[in-house]
């Protein structure tokens, strides 16, 4: 749904004649089961050159989103907004409310102020070293794409993606 939302946002900005430099990177993944599909235990090298051990093949979205983040930065993006479900963990915790993660205090403050004006509801969920550590258990890759049996799935997914955000972005 994130890619569809990005297309809607671009259409809205164009119709409103917003004069800002905006780029959408649509990362799409098909969850396919066949002999060519990624399998549990596979190690992949991302566009950023980091290696990831695939522990959960159902967490395929973050495996393409990390490359989308890298690609956007290489194209000159200074700010990246990633629209993703980040697992059903957030929905289990919050229902249909929006979960928000961020590593830029000013952007989060602006988001909160805008949400108050527009009547949008969201919950900011935690990120930090405790969640990063949960995916640093792989002995054959920089990190894994999942933290088995640890909980906090949405925070872990957000921290997985944060590993691809370069300094200054």
């Amino acid at each position: 749904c994130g890619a569809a939302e990005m297309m809607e946002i671009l259409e809205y900005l164009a119709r409103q004649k917003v004069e800002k430099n905006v780029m959408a990177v649509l990362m799409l993944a098909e969850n396919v089961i066949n002999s060519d599909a990624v399998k549990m235990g596979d190690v992949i090298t991302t566009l950023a050159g980091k290696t990831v051990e695939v522990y959960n093949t159902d967490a395929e979205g973050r495996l393409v989103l990390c490359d989308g983040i890298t690609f956007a930065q290489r194209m000159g993006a200074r700010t990246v907004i990633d629209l993703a479900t980040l697992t059903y963990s957030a929905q289990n915790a919050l229902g249909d409310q929006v979960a928000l993660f961020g590593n830029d205090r000013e952007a989060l403050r602006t988001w909160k102020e805008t949400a108050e004006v527009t009547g949008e509801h969201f919950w900011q969920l935690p990120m930090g070293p405790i969640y990063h550590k949960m995916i640093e258990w792989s002995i054959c890759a920089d990190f894994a794409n999942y933290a088995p049996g640890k909980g906090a799935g949405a925070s872990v997914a957000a921290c997985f993606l944060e590993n691809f955000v370069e300094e200054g972005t």
Side-chain angles (χ1 to χ4, degrees), residues 2-110:
E5 285 181 285
M6 291 307 302
M7 292 301 294
E8 289 176 28
I9 290 167
L10 286 180
E11 180 181 359
Y12 174 81
L13 294 173
R15 287 179 187 243
Q16 296 299 314
K17 297 180 175 40
V18 173
E19 295 184 18
K20 294 282 183 181
N21 186 6
V22 177
M23 168 182 51
V25 178
L26 309 180
M27 301 306 295
L28 307 170
E30 183 178 15
N31 196 346
V32 179
I33 300 173
N34 69 29
S35 60
D36 295 327
V38 173
K39 296 174 231 24
M40 189 169 157
D42 285 354
V43 174
I44 63 169
T45 302
T46 66
L47 184 60
K50 298 177 181 183
T51 55
V52 178
E53 181 177 353
V54 177
Y55 188 82
N56 183 339
T57 58
D58 198 34
E60 77 286 350
R62 66 191 73 168
L63 295 176
V64 295
L65 286 170
C66 67
D67 282 349
I69 291 168
T70 300
F71 180 79
Q73 293 169 123
R74 288 184 181 177
M75 295 299 294
R78 294 177 303 196
T79 300
V80 174
I81 299 172
D82 177 3
L83 297 177
T85 57
L86 294 183
T87 80
Y88 287 110
S89 298
Q91 186 179 25
N92 287 340
L94 304 173
D96 290 331
Q97 297 299 309
V98 174
L100 176 69
F101 296 95
N103 59 4
D104 181 322
R105 290 183 195 269
E106 182 61 24
L108 290 168
R109 185 188 60 73
T110 301

Side-chain angles (χ1 to χ4, degrees), residues 120-132:
E120 290 290 327
H121 300 283
F122 72 89
W123 289 93
Q124 184 178 345
L125 296 179
M127 295 174 66
I130 189 171
Y131 303 108
H132 278 279

